[in-house]
Amino acid sequence: MSTVYVFGAGASFPEGAPLISNFIGKSFELLEKDTSKEISDTWKFLRDYFGKDPKNSLEAIESYPTIDEIVTIVDYATSNNISLSSFHTTTKLNQIKKGLVNLISFTIAASIKTNEKHTSFAKELFKKRGSIKIISLNYDTLLDESIKNCYKSFKNNKINYGFNSVLTSDPRFNLLKIHGSLNWSLCPFCQNIQVHDEPIAHFLYSHYVDCENCNNTYSEPVIITPTLLKSYNIQRLNNVWLAASEALSLAIRIVFIGYSLALSDYPIINLIKNAISQKNVLEEVIIVGVSFDKEQLGKRYSKIFNDRIKIAFDDNGFTGQTHWDTPFPKDLLIR
């Protein structure tokens, strides 16, 4: 059975990664005293623009909008070439945008404390035959590191990231991170995406790495920020989307892990809908590892997928001890 696993933010939350709702609080807790210019300028922008000066992480959550709303405000201003104030000009806001990318990247990297669930998941899938297709909406490197641990005796990472828009069976793991990754850097000249052994996105813009393809010494993070105005203008990242579309079009079963299918993710919804309509082979959707209102979430998934597709919740988590490869009990079905 062709199965595709789709990872949302809820999958990384048990390992310590923040959710959108508490992201600013976690950032304040970890980085409010950070001395780097990019991040200190970002906190200054938040204080000046919103007129609030929180003293702790709880006050930060109460004082400021969520991180996706903040990024959307800045994106709207920069994309329309307008200032937010006499001080926050478009030139200044472009620097703030870079600071927000660093803030997001550093917060995620510093928040993660464990990798137990992802490791169990990867080890369980490693036992199975055939290629494994995973689409991740997360920037963290939890899956990357877990997969590498499965291949400790091999010299190569054994991960296909889809940069060439194709799926492979060797390496077996196709990890398609369609929003970018903390361990990727982009050469803006040749558009090469380079994979690193550790998260480096929050060090870029100030500490550069040489491009392995053209030797250019300037590099940028590969992070599609959480915003309603998402821009997908990186060619090799577009290739990752093409590979994700192919994987979804061939899927008989899609397992969503920690993903709410929010309205703000309309590019993802469009990707899924277009892909599954190509061959119309999808039979089952399973929703794993969510703490959301199940009744409302079930209704949302039911609206996205047509009536012939079975939809079910699985409360066993994503450690591999699930019904993902066998027919699941009828009492799990919501449709």
Side-chain angles (χ1 to χ4, degrees):
M1 174 176 287
S2 178
T3 301
V4 173
Y5 304 92
V6 179
F7 274 64
S12 299
F13 179 70
E15 314 279 23
L19 298 174
I20 289 291
S21 59
N22 72 331
F23 201 101
I24 283 294
K26 179 62 71 172
S27 295
F28 190 96
E29 177 184 322
L30 294 171
L31 301 174
E32 195 273 335
K33 302 298 183 182
D34 190 275
T35 57
S36 69
K37 178 172 172 45
E38 293 83 6
I39 291 180
S40 61
D41 282 353
T42 302
W43 286 116
K44 186 177 187 307
F45 162 72
L46 294 176
R47 290 189 175 93
D48 292 346
Y49 183 70
F50 294 105
K52 304 287 181 63
D53 188 10
K55 303 303 180 185
N56 55 55
S57 58
L58 181 59
E59 285 186 13
I61 294 174
E62 295 174 345
S63 299
Y64 300 139
T66 55
I67 187 65
D68 57 333
E69 293 170 329
I70 293 169
V71 176
T72 298
I73 290 170
V74 174
D75 279 350
Y76 176 79
T78 54
S79 62
N80 289 280
N81 197 31
I82 59 176
S83 301
L84 292 179
S85 71
S86 58
F87 177 74
H88 301 113
T89 62
T90 52
T91 300
K92 183 68 174 177
L93 289 174
N94 281 317
Q95 293 301 314
I96 295 299
K97 175 63 178 293
K98 292 180 178 180
L100 283 169
V101 171
N102 283 1
L103 183 79
I104 290 168
S105 304
F106 204 115
T107 300
I108 295 172
S111 297
I112 292 174
K113 304 302 181 185
T114 69
N115 198 355
E116 295 176 2
K117 290 183 177 294
H118 287 73
T119 297
S120 296
F121 169 83
K123 287 181 176 179
E124 194 68 26
L125 290 190
F126 185 70
K127 301 174 185 177
K128 305 181 188 303
R129 294 182 178 180
S131 63
I132 297 160
K133 306 176 188 71
I134 304 170
I135 299 172
S136 177
L137 313 183
N138 302 329
Y139 312 127
D140 62 65
T141 59
L142 289 165
L143 280 168
D144 310 62
E145 293 165 4
S146 298
I147 293 169
K148 288 177 186 178
N149 286 337
C150 292
Y151 289 100
K152 285 182 178 179
S153 60
F154 293 83
K155 292 182 180 180
N156 297 325
N157 292 337
K158 297 295 181 180
I159 298 175
N160 173 42
Y161 287 105
F163 295 149
N164 297 318
S165 72
V166 295
L167 300 173
T168 69
S169 57
D170 184 24
R172 291 177 56 210
F173 280 90
N174 295 270
L175 177 54
L176 310 173
K177 305 178 79 171
I178 59 178
H179 284 161
S181 182
L182 297 184
N183 64 330
W184 294 356
S185 64
L186 171 72
C187 172
F189 295 95
C190 71
Q191 290 290 295
N192 180 58
I193 295 178
Q194 193 165 325
V195 180
H196 303 273
D197 291 332
E198 58 187 12
I200 65 163
H202 43 291
F203 297 126
L204 299 176
Y205 290 133
S206 56
H207 299 84
Y208 305 128
V209 295
D210 293 344
C211 175
E212 60 187 1
N213 185 54
C214 71
N215 295 321
N216 166 53
T217 57
Y218 178 78
S219 52
E220 298 177 348
V222 187
I223 299 291
I224 305 299
T225 50
T227 172
L228 293 178
L229 305 174
K230 290 183 174 69
S231 176
Y232 303 93
N233 55 4
I234 302 172
Q235 179 55 48
R236 297 199 78 196
L237 192 58
N238 289 336
N239 289 346
V240 178
W241 281 70
L242 290 173
S245 178
E246 180 186 356
L248 290 165
S249 72
L250 299 171
I252 295 175
R253 171 179 286 174
I254 302 177
V255 180
F256 291 93
I257 303 171
Y259 186 44
S260 65
L261 209 64
L263 179 61
S264 59
D265 279 341
Y266 60 88
I268 309 301
I269 296 172
N270 185 58
L271 169 69
I272 295 169
K273 293 289 289 181
N274 280 342
I276 65 176
S277 69
Q278 293 176 26
K279 300 184 184 300
N280 289 310
V281 296
L282 182 65
E283 297 177 359
E284 301 170 346
V285 165
I286 302 180
I287 309 167
V288 181
V290 293
S291 57
F292 314 105
D293 183 323
K294 285 190 176 180
E295 182 178 356
Q296 292 302 315
L297 187 60
K299 289 179 180 178
R300 175 143 188 79
Y301 270 81
S302 295
K303 290 177 180 178
I304 298 299
F305 295 97
N306 66 47
D307 291 341
R308 71 171 180 79
I309 298 170
K310 292 186 291 185
I311 302 175
F313 282 105
D314 191 326
D315 294 328
N316 292 320
F318 64 98
T319 59
Q321 304 303 316
T322 68
H323 306 284
W324 300 349
D325 292 319
T326 58
F328 39 80
K330 291 183 177 180
D331 59 357
L332 291 173
L333 285 167
I334 61 174
R335 188 181 70 196

